[in-house]
Amino acid sequence: MEYSAGRDRRSRLCCLLGVVAAVLLCLGTAASGELTDDFYDDCCPNLDRIVRARVSAAMKAEPRMGASLLRLHFHDCFVNGCDGSILLDGSNSEKLAAPNLNSARGFEVVDAIKADIERACPGHVSCADVLALAAKYGVLLSGGPDYDVLLGRRDGLVANQSGADSNLPGPDDSISDITKRFKDVGLNTTDMVVLSGGHTIGRSRCALFSNRLANFSATNSVDPTLDSALASSLQQVCRGGDGNQTAALDDGSADAFDNHYFKNLLAKKGLLSSDQILFSSADAAAATKALVQAYGADSQRFFCDFGNSMVKMGNIAPLTGSAGQIRKKCRAVN
């Protein structure tokens, strides 16, 4: 999707107050090594251009890559904080955890971005910050909002496979489980619903939703919260029992970052159970349903809130100051 400068300016203006508030929260402790929006201005002034160029090239080759980079940042921040630990190889790699195995992708793109940055300004930019910026441009170049990424993270020294298994929200989690996982990292109900809207781009494997389909589930019946026509279409996609076949998370606009995800939930077309329960579950809070309705009716509100929640998520337990290190390569510690 082509980048629209006009829409970007409108989106930035819309979110200005929210972003300024998020920035001020962090700038108050900048002197002690917290995140800022100008961290690399002197030591790596072309950082944004480098990241954007590489993400743009990757998405021209495969539009889905924007969603993959967004997911990597999300899965990084929910485990050990936003420290780039998901990028580490090894026996304890988070890549081997159930939520990431045969699912998390985009590592080669991150490697390529890091290599470009190391040639331009070696030893300055962390892999954790590369992830945060790559996610931003994955969203922006898919047609989503711009937002100011706060920078200055350093890289963790260890991965946490068990943490990835236990901390990441799952496709069959209940509302209470999902809410708790977000609360555990300092995110509230609004953050939970709006960040779930990141599923407006990307795809999911049949293994993660086929239990909702007739002929695949133990009850041999379609999930009543799933639109029957969509269920029939998904049965064809997943026919043969190949759990690695994929379907669009957002039926109708898989590669476009928009508010169609929320419109889908209103029409029982959420692909994952953990998406649809935000609106359809009997346990869903009134506030959760109200947010789904609000974002489905107002894409500008969704864009504004999404950018603000991304800034907030990106500030989950970052390593700063002398903690951690700046990895030379993202797959291994120095």
Side-chain angles (χ1 to χ4, degrees), residues 28-312:
T29 50
S32 61
E34 294 302 322
L35 309 184
T36 72
D37 62 344
D38 59 354
F39 192 85
Y40 297 109
D41 281 6
D42 293 330
C43 64
C44 197
N46 292 322
L47 176 60
D48 266 41
R49 180 186 60 78
I50 293 169
V51 177
R52 177 170 175 160
R54 183 62 73 168
V55 173
S56 177
M59 290 178 63
K60 285 179 180 177
E62 184 185 10
R64 178 188 175 193
M65 187 54 65
S68 298
L69 295 170
L70 172 59
R71 187 167 184 259
L72 278 185
H73 182 43
F74 181 96
H75 281 212
D76 182 44
C77 290
F78 268 65
V79 183
N80 290 0
C82 307
D83 68 344
S85 59
I86 194 173
L87 303 173
L88 289 169
D89 290 335
S91 60
N92 193 41
S93 175
E94 293 166 28
K95 301 173 184 179
L96 302 177
N100 295 323
L101 187 63
N102 299 320
S103 176
R105 54 200 303 278
F107 298 106
E108 294 80 7
V109 177
V110 174
D111 290 340
I113 296 171
K114 178 64 171 174
D116 289 347
I117 293 170
E118 285 299 303
R119 283 189 287 269
C121 36
H124 288 293
V125 181
S126 69
C127 296
D129 280 347
V130 169
L131 268 186
L133 284 169
K136 166 187 172 167
Y137 284 112
V139 168
L140 184 62
L141 296 172
S142 296
D146 193 3
Y147 55 91
D148 291 327
V149 176
L150 302 179
L151 301 168
R153 303 168 189 82
R154 289 170 63 84
D155 295 321
L157 303 177
V158 295
N160 185 357
Q161 185 180 138
S162 63
D165 278 321
S166 61
N167 297 347
L168 290 169
D172 298 317
D173 281 356
S174 66
I175 282 284
S176 59
D177 287 338
I178 298 172
T179 301
K180 183 180 185 302
R181 294 185 197 281
F182 275 77
K183 184 178 179 181
D184 286 346
V185 294
L187 300 176
N188 60 30
T189 299
T190 297
D191 299 317
M192 176 183 73
V193 175
V194 76
L195 291 175
S196 295
H199 282 174
T200 186
I201 51 176
R203 304 180 71 83
S204 180
R205 294 182 299 132
C206 288
L208 300 182
F209 62 82
S210 60
N211 62 310
R212 305 182 70 200
L213 309 176
N215 302 322
F216 290 92
S217 67
T219 60
N220 198 39
S221 61
V222 175
D223 185 332
T225 67
L226 181 63
D227 173 77
S228 59
L230 178 59
S232 178
S233 174
L234 293 173
Q235 285 171 336
Q236 297 303 311
V237 172
C238 299
R239 176 173 290 180
D242 184 356
N244 289 317
Q245 290 289 343
T246 62
L249 284 161
D250 181 349
D251 179 55
S253 59
D255 298 321
F257 197 102
D258 53 29
N259 69 334
H260 199 257
Y261 163 87
F262 296 103
K263 295 179 180 180
N264 281 342
L265 300 189
L266 296 172
K268 294 185 178 182
K269 292 185 177 181
L271 182 66
L272 303 180
S273 173
S274 56
D275 288 327
Q276 190 60 52
I277 60 174
L278 295 176
F279 184 75
S280 296
S281 171
D283 298 327
T288 302
K289 294 182 179 180
L291 284 167
V292 171
Q293 291 171 320
Y295 294 140
D298 188 346
S299 61
Q300 192 174 61
R301 176 176 175 181
F302 167 49
F303 276 30
C304 290
D305 286 358
F306 185 86
N308 292 334
S309 289
M310 284 295 291
V311 172
K312 188 175 177 182

Side-chain angles (χ1 to χ4, degrees), residues 313-332:
M313 185 186 78
N315 203 35
I316 296 173
L319 298 175
T320 59
S322 60
Q325 64 180 205
I326 304 298
R327 287 187 222 139
K328 296 177 182 177
K329 294 186 178 180
C330 292
R331 294 176 182 262

